[in-house]
Amino acid sequence: MLKLNLPDYKFKLIKKADSLFIQDLVRNIWLKLTPEEWVRQHFINFLVTNCKVPLKYISLEQVSEYGKGLQKRSDIIVYSREMQVWIIVECKASSVTINESTLLQASIYANNHPQLSYLILTNGLLTHIYGRVGEEFQEIEILPVWE
C-alpha cells in the first residue's frame, strides 16, 4: 500500500481468498484492506501515539441521525473523558482529493454535535484540522494531546 504522511505503525495483515485484511486497532477485528481503511488505521495510530488518545475513547463508523431520518456514518469519533464528542475524523482514500465537498460532508457531522471541538479531514497524504472558535471552525496546524 501507499506510504502516507502519517506515522508508520506495525500493522497486521493477512491474506484470505486473494484479498488482504488488516487488523482494526480499535475493534480488534479483521477488515478488508481498502485504500480508505489503510488511511483510517494509520490515523487511528496517529491519534493513539501522537495525541495520546486511549483506544477505549475511539469509536469507528458510528451511525448518527441527522434530521428527517438521514443517517450518516462517521469514520472516527473521539470522545472526551466525559463521553462528549471531541473530534470527528472524515477519512478518504489517498486518491480522493480533500475539497469543498468533503468539508461539506464533514460539516454536517459537526452541526449535529455542538460540543465538538475538532473536525479533521484526511486522505493520509493531506490532513486538514479545524478547531472550534465560538460557533465556527477555523483551520489550525496542530491537534492537541488528549485531555
PDB file of all heavy atoms in Angstrom, residues 65-101:
ATOM      1  N   GLU A  65     -28.015  10.013  13.366  1.00  0.00           N
ATOM      2  CA  GLU A  65     -29.150  10.507  12.593  1.00  0.00           C
ATOM      3  C   GLU A  65     -29.064  12.023  12.508  1.00  0.00           C
ATOM      4  O   GLU A  65     -28.806  12.706  13.501  1.00  0.00           O
ATOM      5  CB  GLU A  65     -30.466  10.084  13.242  1.00  0.00           C
ATOM      6  CG  GLU A  65     -31.618  10.189  12.277  1.00  0.00           C
ATOM      7  CD  GLU A  65     -32.808   9.362  12.704  1.00  0.00           C
ATOM      8  OE1 GLU A  65     -32.635   8.162  12.979  1.00  0.00           O
ATOM      9  OE2 GLU A  65     -33.893   9.943  12.759  1.00  0.00           O
ATOM     10  N   TYR A  66     -29.275  12.538  11.309  1.00  0.00           N
ATOM     11  CA  TYR A  66     -29.180  13.963  11.032  1.00  0.00           C
ATOM     12  C   TYR A  66     -30.476  14.414  10.380  1.00  0.00           C
ATOM     13  O   TYR A  66     -30.669  14.220   9.194  1.00  0.00           O
ATOM     14  CB  TYR A  66     -27.999  14.266  10.107  1.00  0.00           C
ATOM     15  CG  TYR A  66     -26.675  13.883  10.718  1.00  0.00           C
ATOM     16  CD1 TYR A  66     -26.162  12.606  10.552  1.00  0.00           C
ATOM     17  CD2 TYR A  66     -25.956  14.781  11.478  1.00  0.00           C
ATOM     18  CE1 TYR A  66     -24.956  12.247  11.124  1.00  0.00           C
ATOM     19  CE2 TYR A  66     -24.750  14.428  12.050  1.00  0.00           C
ATOM     20  CZ  TYR A  66     -24.261  13.164  11.873  1.00  0.00           C
ATOM     21  OH  TYR A  66     -23.067  12.805  12.438  1.00  0.00           O
ATOM     22  N   GLY A  67     -31.342  14.981  11.183  1.00  0.00           N
ATOM     23  CA  GLY A  67     -32.590  15.489  10.601  1.00  0.00           C
ATOM     24  C   GLY A  67     -33.576  14.382  10.299  1.00  0.00           C
ATOM     25  O   GLY A  67     -33.591  13.337  10.927  1.00  0.00           O
ATOM     26  N   LYS A  68     -34.383  14.583   9.313  1.00  0.00           N
ATOM     27  CA  LYS A  68     -35.530  13.729   8.985  1.00  0.00           C
ATOM     28  C   LYS A  68     -35.113  12.347   8.485  1.00  0.00           C
ATOM     29  O   LYS A  68     -35.240  12.036   7.303  1.00  0.00           O
ATOM     30  CB  LYS A  68     -36.399  14.418   7.947  1.00  0.00           C
ATOM     31  CG  LYS A  68     -36.922  15.747   8.413  1.00  0.00           C
ATOM     32  CD  LYS A  68     -37.676  16.450   7.329  1.00  0.00           C
ATOM     33  CE  LYS A  68     -38.128  17.810   7.840  1.00  0.00           C
ATOM     34  NZ  LYS A  68     -38.762  18.587   6.804  1.00  0.00           N
ATOM     35  N   GLY A  69     -34.607  11.539   9.389  1.00  0.00           N
ATOM     36  CA  GLY A  69     -34.269  10.165   9.040  1.00  0.00           C
ATOM     37  C   GLY A  69     -32.994   9.988   8.247  1.00  0.00           C
ATOM     38  O   GLY A  69     -32.667   8.878   7.856  1.00  0.00           O
ATOM     39  N   LEU A  70     -32.254  11.072   8.007  1.00  0.00           N
ATOM     40  CA  LEU A  70     -30.998  10.965   7.278  1.00  0.00           C
ATOM     41  C   LEU A  70     -29.927  10.420   8.216  1.00  0.00           C
ATOM     42  O   LEU A  70     -29.684  10.990   9.283  1.00  0.00           O
ATOM     43  CB  LEU A  70     -30.576  12.350   6.752  1.00  0.00           C
ATOM     44  CG  LEU A  70     -29.231  12.421   6.042  1.00  0.00           C
ATOM     45  CD1 LEU A  70     -29.260  11.599   4.758  1.00  0.00           C
ATOM     46  CD2 LEU A  70     -28.878  13.860   5.734  1.00  0.00           C
ATOM     47  N   GLN A  71     -29.326   9.307   7.827  1.00  0.00           N
ATOM     48  CA  GLN A  71     -28.289   8.704   8.646  1.00  0.00           C
ATOM     49  C   GLN A  71     -26.944   8.822   7.953  1.00  0.00           C
ATOM     50  O   GLN A  71     -26.843   8.638   6.748  1.00  0.00           O
ATOM     51  CB  GLN A  71     -28.605   7.237   8.920  1.00  0.00           C
ATOM     52  CG  GLN A  71     -29.811   7.050   9.805  1.00  0.00           C
ATOM     53  CD  GLN A  71     -30.022   5.585  10.154  1.00  0.00           C
ATOM     54  OE1 GLN A  71     -29.592   4.687   9.445  1.00  0.00           O
ATOM     55  NE2 GLN A  71     -30.697   5.353  11.258  1.00  0.00           N
ATOM     56  N   LYS A  72     -25.935   9.140   8.740  1.00  0.00           N
ATOM     57  CA  LYS A  72     -24.564   9.254   8.242  1.00  0.00           C
ATOM     58  C   LYS A  72     -23.662   8.434   9.157  1.00  0.00           C
ATOM     59  O   LYS A  72     -23.923   8.291  10.345  1.00  0.00           O
ATOM     60  CB  LYS A  72     -24.089  10.716   8.243  1.00  0.00           C
ATOM     61  CG  LYS A  72     -24.869  11.631   7.329  1.00  0.00           C
ATOM     62  CD  LYS A  72     -24.364  11.491   5.929  1.00  0.00           C
ATOM     63  CE  LYS A  72     -25.033  12.510   5.021  1.00  0.00           C
ATOM     64  NZ  LYS A  72     -24.591  12.377   3.668  1.00  0.00           N
ATOM     65  N   ARG A  73     -22.582   7.947   8.585  1.00  0.00           N
ATOM     66  CA  ARG A  73     -21.624   7.143   9.331  1.00  0.00           C
ATOM     67  C   ARG A  73     -20.310   7.920   9.451  1.00  0.00           C
ATOM     68  O   ARG A  73     -19.672   8.203   8.439  1.00  0.00           O
ATOM     69  CB  ARG A  73     -21.404   5.827   8.592  1.00  0.00           C
ATOM     70  CG  ARG A  73     -20.622   4.809   9.338  1.00  0.00           C
ATOM     71  CD  ARG A  73     -20.463   3.538   8.530  1.00  0.00           C
ATOM     72  NE  ARG A  73     -21.712   3.013   8.024  1.00  0.00           N
ATOM     73  CZ  ARG A  73     -22.469   2.109   8.640  1.00  0.00           C
ATOM     74  NH1 ARG A  73     -22.085   1.625   9.784  1.00  0.00           N
ATOM     75  NH2 ARG A  73     -23.584   1.684   8.096  1.00  0.00           N
ATOM     76  N   SER A  74     -19.925   8.250  10.671  1.00  0.00           N
ATOM     77  CA  SER A  74     -18.664   8.952  10.912  1.00  0.00           C
ATOM     78  C   SER A  74     -17.525   7.942  10.900  1.00  0.00           C
ATOM     79  O   SER A  74     -17.622   6.891  11.541  1.00  0.00           O
ATOM     80  CB  SER A  74     -18.696   9.671  12.263  1.00  0.00           C
ATOM     81  OG  SER A  74     -19.751  10.592  12.306  1.00  0.00           O
ATOM     82  N   ASP A  75     -16.442   8.256  10.201  1.00  0.00           N
ATOM     83  CA  ASP A  75     -15.305   7.335  10.135  1.00  0.00           C
ATOM     84  C   ASP A  75     -14.686   7.102  11.510  1.00  0.00           C
ATOM     85  O   ASP A  75     -14.510   5.974  11.937  1.00  0.00           O
ATOM     86  CB  ASP A  75     -14.237   7.856   9.164  1.00  0.00           C
ATOM     87  CG  ASP A  75     -14.677   7.716   7.726  1.00  0.00           C
ATOM     88  OD1 ASP A  75     -15.245   6.676   7.368  1.00  0.00           O
ATOM     89  OD2 ASP A  75     -14.445   8.664   6.950  1.00  0.00           O
ATOM     90  N   ILE A  76     -14.321   8.205  12.172  1.00  0.00           N
ATOM     91  CA  ILE A  76     -13.705   8.109  13.501  1.00  0.00           C
ATOM     92  C   ILE A  76     -14.332   9.177  14.386  1.00  0.00           C
ATOM     93  O   ILE A  76     -14.425  10.339  13.995  1.00  0.00           O
ATOM     94  CB  ILE A  76     -12.178   8.352  13.455  1.00  0.00           C
ATOM     95  CG1 ILE A  76     -11.490   7.355  12.517  1.00  0.00           C
ATOM     96  CG2 ILE A  76     -11.579   8.299  14.855  1.00  0.00           C
ATOM     97  CD1 ILE A  76     -10.013   7.659  12.255  1.00  0.00           C
ATOM     98  N   ILE A  77     -14.738   8.772  15.590  1.00  0.00           N
ATOM     99  CA  ILE A  77     -15.179   9.726  16.603  1.00  0.00           C
ATOM    100  C   ILE A  77     -14.306   9.507  17.826  1.00  0.00           C
ATOM    101  O   ILE A  77     -14.109   8.365  18.265  1.00  0.00           O
ATOM    102  CB  ILE A  77     -16.662   9.552  16.979  1.00  0.00           C
ATOM    103  CG1 ILE A  77     -17.557   9.884  15.782  1.00  0.00           C
ATOM    104  CG2 ILE A  77     -17.031  10.432  18.180  1.00  0.00           C
ATOM    105  CD1 ILE A  77     -19.040   9.724  16.046  1.00  0.00           C
ATOM    106  N   VAL A  78     -13.781  10.598  18.369  1.00  0.00           N
ATOM    107  CA  VAL A  78     -13.014  10.545  19.609  1.00  0.00           C
ATOM    108  C   VAL A  78     -13.836  11.251  20.677  1.00  0.00           C
ATOM    109  O   VAL A  78     -14.313  12.370  20.463  1.00  0.00           O
ATOM    110  CB  VAL A  78     -11.635  11.233  19.460  1.00  0.00           C
ATOM    111  CG1 VAL A  78     -10.880  11.202  20.784  1.00  0.00           C
ATOM    112  CG2 VAL A  78     -10.823  10.571  18.351  1.00  0.00           C
ATOM    113  N   TYR A  79     -13.980  10.585  21.807  1.00  0.00           N
ATOM    114  CA  TYR A  79     -14.755  11.134  22.922  1.00  0.00           C
ATOM    115  C   TYR A  79     -13.830  11.696  23.998  1.00  0.00           C
ATOM    116  O   TYR A  79     -12.706  11.229  24.169  1.00  0.00           O
ATOM    117  CB  TYR A  79     -15.632  10.044  23.549  1.00  0.00           C
ATOM    118  CG  TYR A  79     -16.732   9.594  22.638  1.00  0.00           C
ATOM    119  CD1 TYR A  79     -16.565   8.499  21.796  1.00  0.00           C
ATOM    120  CD2 TYR A  79     -17.943  10.265  22.606  1.00  0.00           C
ATOM    121  CE1 TYR A  79     -17.578   8.088  20.948  1.00  0.00           C
ATOM    122  CE2 TYR A  79     -18.965   9.861  21.756  1.00  0.00           C
ATOM    123  CZ  TYR A  79     -18.769   8.774  20.933  1.00  0.00           C
ATOM    124  OH  TYR A  79     -19.779   8.377  20.087  1.00  0.00           O
ATOM    125  N   SER A  80     -14.348  12.675  24.715  1.00  0.00           N
ATOM    126  CA  SER A  80     -13.639  13.203  25.884  1.00  0.00           C
ATOM    127  C   SER A  80     -13.860  12.243  27.059  1.00  0.00           C
ATOM    128  O   SER A  80     -14.646  11.293  26.954  1.00  0.00           O
ATOM    129  CB  SER A  80     -14.197  14.588  26.245  1.00  0.00           C
ATOM    130  OG  SER A  80     -15.542  14.463  26.696  1.00  0.00           O
ATOM    131  N   ARG A  81     -13.203  12.512  28.164  1.00  0.00           N
ATOM    132  CA  ARG A  81     -13.399  11.693  29.366  1.00  0.00           C
ATOM    133  C   ARG A  81     -14.872  11.691  29.801  1.00  0.00           C
ATOM    134  O   ARG A  81     -15.352  10.732  30.386  1.00  0.00           O
ATOM    135  CB  ARG A  81     -12.553  12.220  30.518  1.00  0.00           C
ATOM    136  CG  ARG A  81     -11.086  11.975  30.377  1.00  0.00           C
ATOM    137  CD  ARG A  81     -10.333  12.394  31.647  1.00  0.00           C
ATOM    138  NE  ARG A  81      -8.938  12.626  31.376  1.00  0.00           N
ATOM    139  CZ  ARG A  81      -8.021  11.673  31.273  1.00  0.00           C
ATOM    140  NH1 ARG A  81      -8.379  10.433  31.397  1.00  0.00           N
ATOM    141  NH2 ARG A  81      -6.771  11.974  31.027  1.00  0.00           N
ATOM    142  N   GLU A  82     -15.559  12.780  29.510  1.00  0.00           N
ATOM    143  CA  GLU A  82     -16.971  12.912  29.886  1.00  0.00           C
ATOM    144  C   GLU A  82     -17.891  12.279  28.843  1.00  0.00           C
ATOM    145  O   GLU A  82     -19.102  12.438  28.912  1.00  0.00           O
ATOM    146  CB  GLU A  82     -17.335  14.393  30.068  1.00  0.00           C
ATOM    147  CG  GLU A  82     -16.620  15.085  31.208  1.00  0.00           C
ATOM    148  CD  GLU A  82     -15.169  15.462  30.852  1.00  0.00           C
ATOM    149  OE1 GLU A  82     -14.877  15.710  29.663  1.00  0.00           O
ATOM    150  OE2 GLU A  82     -14.340  15.475  31.778  1.00  0.00           O
ATOM    151  N   MET A  83     -17.304  11.604  27.868  1.00  0.00           N
ATOM    152  CA  MET A  83     -18.026  10.926  26.784  1.00  0.00           C
ATOM    153  C   MET A  83     -18.799  11.904  25.896  1.00  0.00           C
ATOM    154  O   MET A  83     -19.848  11.577  25.355  1.00  0.00           O
ATOM    155  CB  MET A  83     -18.942   9.824  27.324  1.00  0.00           C
ATOM    156  CG  MET A  83     -18.166   8.676  27.966  1.00  0.00           C
ATOM    157  SD  MET A  83     -16.850   7.977  26.913  1.00  0.00           S
ATOM    158  CE  MET A  83     -17.783   7.224  25.603  1.00  0.00           C
ATOM    159  N   GLN A  84     -18.246  13.100  25.727  1.00  0.00           N
ATOM    160  CA  GLN A  84     -18.756  14.064  24.762  1.00  0.00           C
ATOM    161  C   GLN A  84     -17.939  13.909  23.480  1.00  0.00           C
ATOM    162  O   GLN A  84     -16.735  13.641  23.534  1.00  0.00           O
ATOM    163  CB  GLN A  84     -18.612  15.502  25.299  1.00  0.00           C
ATOM    164  CG  GLN A  84     -19.412  15.779  26.549  1.00  0.00           C
ATOM    165  CD  GLN A  84     -20.904  15.714  26.295  1.00  0.00           C
ATOM    166  OE1 GLN A  84     -21.389  16.233  25.313  1.00  0.00           O
ATOM    167  NE2 GLN A  84     -21.627  15.048  27.183  1.00  0.00           N
ATOM    168  N   VAL A  85     -18.578  14.102  22.336  1.00  0.00           N
ATOM    169  CA  VAL A  85     -17.848  14.008  21.063  1.00  0.00           C
ATOM    170  C   VAL A  85     -16.813  15.132  21.035  1.00  0.00           C
ATOM    171  O   VAL A  85     -17.164  16.312  21.121  1.00  0.00           O
ATOM    172  CB  VAL A  85     -18.815  14.106  19.863  1.00  0.00           C
ATOM    173  CG1 VAL A  85     -18.036  14.118  18.564  1.00  0.00           C
ATOM    174  CG2 VAL A  85     -19.801  12.951  19.880  1.00  0.00           C
ATOM    175  N   TRP A  86     -15.535  14.772  20.953  1.00  0.00           N
ATOM    176  CA  TRP A  86     -14.440  15.741  20.986  1.00  0.00           C
ATOM    177  C   TRP A  86     -13.885  15.990  19.584  1.00  0.00           C
ATOM    178  O   TRP A  86     -13.640  17.113  19.192  1.00  0.00           O
ATOM    179  CB  TRP A  86     -13.350  15.230  21.923  1.00  0.00           C
ATOM    180  CG  TRP A  86     -12.199  16.150  22.162  1.00  0.00           C
ATOM    181  CD1 TRP A  86     -12.263  17.470  22.541  1.00  0.00           C
ATOM    182  CD2 TRP A  86     -10.814  15.842  22.052  1.00  0.00           C
ATOM    183  NE1 TRP A  86     -10.993  17.984  22.670  1.00  0.00           N
ATOM    184  CE2 TRP A  86     -10.085  17.003  22.371  1.00  0.00           C
ATOM    185  CE3 TRP A  86     -10.111  14.685  21.714  1.00  0.00           C
ATOM    186  CZ2 TRP A  86      -8.699  17.047  22.369  1.00  0.00           C
ATOM    187  CZ3 TRP A  86      -8.726  14.730  21.718  1.00  0.00           C
ATOM    188  CH2 TRP A  86      -8.041  15.903  22.043  1.00  0.00           C
ATOM    189  N   ILE A  87     -13.691  14.908  18.831  1.00  0.00           N
ATOM    190  CA  ILE A  87     -13.134  15.001  17.476  1.00  0.00           C
ATOM    191  C   ILE A  87     -13.956  14.102  16.548  1.00  0.00           C
ATOM    192  O   ILE A  87     -14.307  12.986  16.923  1.00  0.00           O
ATOM    193  CB  ILE A  87     -11.671  14.498  17.423  1.00  0.00           C
ATOM    194  CG1 ILE A  87     -10.755  15.310  18.330  1.00  0.00           C
ATOM    195  CG2 ILE A  87     -11.143  14.510  15.987  1.00  0.00           C
ATOM    196  CD1 ILE A  87      -9.364  14.690  18.476  1.00  0.00           C
ATOM    197  N   ILE A  88     -14.202  14.596  15.348  1.00  0.00           N
ATOM    198  CA  ILE A  88     -14.744  13.757  14.281  1.00  0.00           C
ATOM    199  C   ILE A  88     -13.740  13.799  13.135  1.00  0.00           C
ATOM    200  O   ILE A  88     -13.284  14.873  12.742  1.00  0.00           O
ATOM    201  CB  ILE A  88     -16.129  14.230  13.805  1.00  0.00           C
ATOM    202  CG1 ILE A  88     -17.173  14.013  14.908  1.00  0.00           C
ATOM    203  CG2 ILE A  88     -16.541  13.489  12.529  1.00  0.00           C
ATOM    204  CD1 ILE A  88     -18.566  14.471  14.557  1.00  0.00           C
ATOM    205  N   VAL A  89     -13.395  12.615  12.623  1.00  0.00           N
ATOM    206  CA  VAL A  89     -12.431  12.497  11.531  1.00  0.00           C
ATOM    207  C   VAL A  89     -13.133  11.870  10.331  1.00  0.00           C
ATOM    208  O   VAL A  89     -13.747  10.813  10.450  1.00  0.00           O
ATOM    209  CB  VAL A  89     -11.228  11.611  11.922  1.00  0.00           C
ATOM    210  CG1 VAL A  89     -10.203  11.569  10.797  1.00  0.00           C
ATOM    211  CG2 VAL A  89     -10.595  12.093  13.227  1.00  0.00           C
ATOM    212  N   GLU A  90     -13.028  12.541   9.206  1.00  0.00           N
ATOM    213  CA  GLU A  90     -13.531  12.007   7.933  1.00  0.00           C
ATOM    214  C   GLU A  90     -12.322  11.536   7.132  1.00  0.00           C
ATOM    215  O   GLU A  90     -11.442  12.333   6.804  1.00  0.00           O
ATOM    216  CB  GLU A  90     -14.305  13.079   7.169  1.00  0.00           C
ATOM    217  CG  GLU A  90     -14.841  12.633   5.842  1.00  0.00           C
ATOM    218  CD  GLU A  90     -15.824  11.481   5.926  1.00  0.00           C
ATOM    219  OE1 GLU A  90     -16.515  11.321   6.951  1.00  0.00           O
ATOM    220  OE2 GLU A  90     -15.900  10.716   4.940  1.00  0.00           O
ATOM    221  N   CYS A  91     -12.260  10.242   6.870  1.00  0.00           N
ATOM    222  CA  CYS A  91     -11.139   9.653   6.133  1.00  0.00           C
ATOM    223  C   CYS A  91     -11.554   9.363   4.693  1.00  0.00           C
ATOM    224  O   CYS A  91     -12.658   8.876   4.444  1.00  0.00           O
ATOM    225  CB  CYS A  91     -10.707   8.342   6.773  1.00  0.00           C
ATOM    226  SG  CYS A  91     -10.107   8.502   8.456  1.00  0.00           S
ATOM    227  N   LYS A  92     -10.648   9.633   3.801  1.00  0.00           N
ATOM    228  CA  LYS A  92     -10.828   9.322   2.386  1.00  0.00           C
ATOM    229  C   LYS A  92      -9.617   8.532   1.914  1.00  0.00           C
ATOM    230  O   LYS A  92      -8.534   8.616   2.511  1.00  0.00           O
ATOM    231  CB  LYS A  92     -10.953  10.605   1.552  1.00  0.00           C
ATOM    232  CG  LYS A  92     -12.149  11.466   1.913  1.00  0.00           C
ATOM    233  CD  LYS A  92     -13.436  10.767   1.556  1.00  0.00           C
ATOM    234  CE  LYS A  92     -14.644  11.637   1.820  1.00  0.00           C
ATOM    235  NZ  LYS A  92     -15.889  10.894   1.710  1.00  0.00           N
ATOM    236  N   ALA A  93      -9.777   7.797   0.855  1.00  0.00           N
ATOM    237  CA  ALA A  93      -8.642   7.116   0.238  1.00  0.00           C
ATOM    238  C   ALA A  93      -7.644   8.166  -0.240  1.00  0.00           C
ATOM    239  O   ALA A  93      -8.025   9.304  -0.549  1.00  0.00           O
ATOM    240  CB  ALA A  93      -9.114   6.265  -0.932  1.00  0.00           C
ATOM    241  N   SER A  94      -6.383   7.795  -0.314  1.00  0.00           N
ATOM    242  CA  SER A  94      -5.349   8.757  -0.712  1.00  0.00           C
ATOM    243  C   SER A  94      -5.561   9.280  -2.131  1.00  0.00           C
ATOM    244  O   SER A  94      -5.088  10.364  -2.469  1.00  0.00           O
ATOM    245  CB  SER A  94      -3.956   8.140  -0.578  1.00  0.00           C
ATOM    246  OG  SER A  94      -3.887   6.955  -1.333  1.00  0.00           O
ATOM    247  N   SER A  95      -6.306   8.562  -2.939  1.00  0.00           N
ATOM    248  CA  SER A  95      -6.580   9.004  -4.314  1.00  0.00           C
ATOM    249  C   SER A  95      -7.713  10.035  -4.384  1.00  0.00           C
ATOM    250  O   SER A  95      -7.932  10.638  -5.427  1.00  0.00           O
ATOM    251  CB  SER A  95      -6.945   7.796  -5.183  1.00  0.00           C
ATOM    252  OG  SER A  95      -8.106   7.167  -4.669  1.00  0.00           O
ATOM    253  N   VAL A  96      -8.407  10.243  -3.272  1.00  0.00           N
ATOM    254  CA  VAL A  96      -9.534  11.181  -3.229  1.00  0.00           C
ATOM    255  C   VAL A  96      -9.034  12.546  -2.767  1.00  0.00           C
ATOM    256  O   VAL A  96      -8.367  12.654  -1.740  1.00  0.00           O
ATOM    257  CB  VAL A  96     -10.650  10.672  -2.284  1.00  0.00           C
ATOM    258  CG1 VAL A  96     -11.771  11.696  -2.154  1.00  0.00           C
ATOM    259  CG2 VAL A  96     -11.185   9.338  -2.772  1.00  0.00           C
ATOM    260  N   THR A  97      -9.373  13.561  -3.522  1.00  0.00           N
ATOM    261  CA  THR A  97      -8.977  14.928  -3.176  1.00  0.00           C
ATOM    262  C   THR A  97      -9.847  15.456  -2.045  1.00  0.00           C
ATOM    263  O   THR A  97     -11.062  15.291  -2.061  1.00  0.00           O
ATOM    264  CB  THR A  97      -9.124  15.850  -4.408  1.00  0.00           C
ATOM    265  OG1 THR A  97      -8.337  15.308  -5.471  1.00  0.00           O
ATOM    266  CG2 THR A  97      -8.676  17.259  -4.099  1.00  0.00           C
ATOM    267  N   ILE A  98      -9.208  16.090  -1.065  1.00  0.00           N
ATOM    268  CA  ILE A  98      -9.942  16.766   0.003  1.00  0.00           C
ATOM    269  C   ILE A  98     -10.350  18.126  -0.552  1.00  0.00           C
ATOM    270  O   ILE A  98      -9.494  18.949  -0.890  1.00  0.00           O
ATOM    271  CB  ILE A  98      -9.066  16.950   1.266  1.00  0.00           C
ATOM    272  CG1 ILE A  98      -8.546  15.603   1.779  1.00  0.00           C
ATOM    273  CG2 ILE A  98      -9.822  17.711   2.342  1.00  0.00           C
ATOM    274  CD1 ILE A  98      -9.597  14.677   2.324  1.00  0.00           C
ATOM    275  N   ASN A  99     -11.666  18.329  -0.660  1.00  0.00           N
ATOM    276  CA  ASN A  99     -12.149  19.572  -1.269  1.00  0.00           C
ATOM    277  C   ASN A  99     -13.384  20.080  -0.532  1.00  0.00           C
ATOM    278  O   ASN A  99     -13.710  19.594   0.548  1.00  0.00           O
ATOM    279  CB  ASN A  99     -12.441  19.341  -2.760  1.00  0.00           C
ATOM    280  CG  ASN A  99     -13.433  18.214  -2.980  1.00  0.00           C
ATOM    281  OD1 ASN A  99     -14.235  17.880  -2.109  1.00  0.00           O
ATOM    282  ND2 ASN A  99     -13.385  17.610  -4.157  1.00  0.00           N
ATOM    283  N   GLU A 100     -14.081  21.031  -1.145  1.00  0.00           N
ATOM    284  CA  GLU A 100     -15.274  21.625  -0.522  1.00  0.00           C
ATOM    285  C   GLU A 100     -16.348  20.580  -0.258  1.00  0.00           C
ATOM    286  O   GLU A 100     -17.054  20.650   0.745  1.00  0.00           O
ATOM    287  CB  GLU A 100     -15.835  22.739  -1.411  1.00  0.00           C
ATOM    288  CG  GLU A 100     -14.929  23.935  -1.516  1.00  0.00           C
ATOM    289  CD  GLU A 100     -15.540  25.162  -0.866  1.00  0.00           C
ATOM    290  OE1 GLU A 100     -16.706  25.129  -0.465  1.00  0.00           O
ATOM    291  OE2 GLU A 100     -14.818  26.149  -0.775  1.00  0.00           O
ATOM    292  N   SER A 101     -16.479  19.616  -1.139  1.00  0.00           N
ATOM    293  CA  SER A 101     -17.485  18.565  -0.965  1.00  0.00           C
ATOM    294  C   SER A 101     -17.186  17.743   0.294  1.00  0.00           C
ATOM    295  O   SER A 101     -18.092  17.401   1.052  1.00  0.00           O
ATOM    296  CB  SER A 101     -17.500  17.667  -2.204  1.00  0.00           C
ATOM    297  OG  SER A 101     -18.360  16.589  -2.013  1.00  0.00           O
TER     298      SER A 101
END
